[in-house]
Amino acid sequence: VEKDKKRKDKPTYCHDRPENIIFNCAPKRPKNVPCDIHHCKVQGKDWLVLVGIHNDYPYEIFAGEYTEDMYVPKTVKEGILQKNGKQYSLIVPIRKSEVEYKDIACVFLQPNHRSLTRMISLALRHGVRPVFIAEQLKKADEGISEFSTVVSRVFNRYMKNLDYEYLEKNGTKDVCEFCGSSNWLFTGGCKTCADCGLGSKCD
């Protein structure tokens, strides 16, 4: 009974759920978007993930394995994603000079990764928070398991802060800063997050 109650009380991150789907319009993309550059290793393979940021929020993503044509030093953590027509370029500072990698989608993304990153970017710019995207990626089949692991790992770095700030702005302040849950376990004068076990608050 306790397990069932816990499952029903799990937060939905939405206070007033609408009865119908609400259609959103994505903000217009500037020509240049700053991006965070993440270097990941999964099952012995090196991956590069580029997360475009618009108004301090993830707007688009590119993710693929390292290639000789798309080698970015691990010391480089930031860059610019520039859109020219239908092509995207990555501009990064390397040794006090700007280096431009042209048509990055075709250079280092496999066809299936290219399609997935387009869909993920579409979801981001239309208001789907990273926590929901990461949850769906974790359910992916073996065909894209490495890709979904990489993207979920990167999104974990964003959703802890972004979802907490989102919930705080929308009136739910008593939430776990790590997972956004409001499901607390009380022990003495302290309470611990029942969903992730990381968040804790004491009187």
Side-chain angles (χ1 to χ4, degrees):
V1 174
E2 288 299 321
K3 289 183 179 179
D4 290 341
K5 185 175 185 299
K6 175 182 174 181
R7 185 160 47 247
K8 290 179 182 178
D9 292 342
K10 190 172 182 179
T12 61
Y13 295 87
C14 298
H15 299 295
D16 298 314
R17 299 289 295 271
E19 293 184 4
N20 300 314
I21 294 174
I22 297 176
F23 296 97
N24 296 318
C25 186
K28 184 177 180 181
R29 187 194 191 280
K31 181 178 181 179
N32 293 335
V33 171
C35 76
D36 296 332
I37 300 175
H38 302 273
H39 306 266
C40 304
K41 184 183 286 291
V42 175
Q43 296 182 7
K45 296 180 181 178
D46 291 317
W47 289 73
L48 184 67
V49 181
L50 314 175
V51 180
I53 306 295
H54 180 59
N55 291 336
D56 301 322
Y57 198 88
Y59 180 86
E60 61 191 9
I61 184 173
F62 297 86
E65 294 181 46
Y66 272 108
T67 68
E68 293 182 358
D69 296 325
M70 192 66 191
Y71 178 75
V72 179
K74 292 185 177 181
T75 54
V76 178
K77 304 295 184 181
E78 297 178 345
I80 298 292
L81 287 170
Q82 185 177 89
K83 185 177 182 181
N84 299 296
K86 294 183 179 180
Q87 295 185 354
Y88 292 82
S89 297
L90 172 65
I91 302 171
V92 295
I94 298 178
R95 295 181 180 177
K96 299 181 180 181
S97 300
E98 283 192 348
V99 176
E100 181 178 357
Y101 301 90
K102 295 183 178 181
D103 198 8
I104 57 176
C106 291
V107 169
F108 87 115
L109 270 67
Q110 297 178 12
N112 58 334
H113 296 160
R114 192 155 54 239
S115 299
L116 285 165
T117 53
R118 287 178 65 87
M119 296 304 296
I120 293 172
S121 297
L122 179 70
L124 286 172
R125 61 178 61 115
H126 279 81
V128 179
R129 290 192 297 282
V131 62
F132 296 131
I133 299 174
E135 285 177 357
Q136 292 303 312
L137 287 172
K138 290 175 183 176
K139 301 175 183 178
D141 59 26
E142 295 179 358
I144 60 165
S145 60
E146 292 179 1
F147 172 87
S148 39
T149 299
V150 168
V151 176
S152 296
R153 186 179 298 174
V154 168
F155 275 179
N156 278 332
R157 304 177 188 180
Y158 292 94
M159 64 188 185
K160 290 177 182 177
N161 293 327
L162 289 172
D163 287 341
Y164 179 72
E165 291 172 4
Y166 172 88
L167 290 166
E168 192 173 44
K169 288 178 182 177
N170 284 275
T172 305
K173 295 185 177 181
D174 192 20
V175 296
C176 172
E177 63 182 304
F178 293 96
C179 71
S181 171
S182 58
N183 188 17
W184 298 100
L185 293 175
F186 293 86
T187 305
C190 298
K191 53 185 180 180
T192 304
C193 178
D195 290 318
C196 72
L198 298 175
S200 63
K201 296 181 180 180
C202 294
D203 296 333

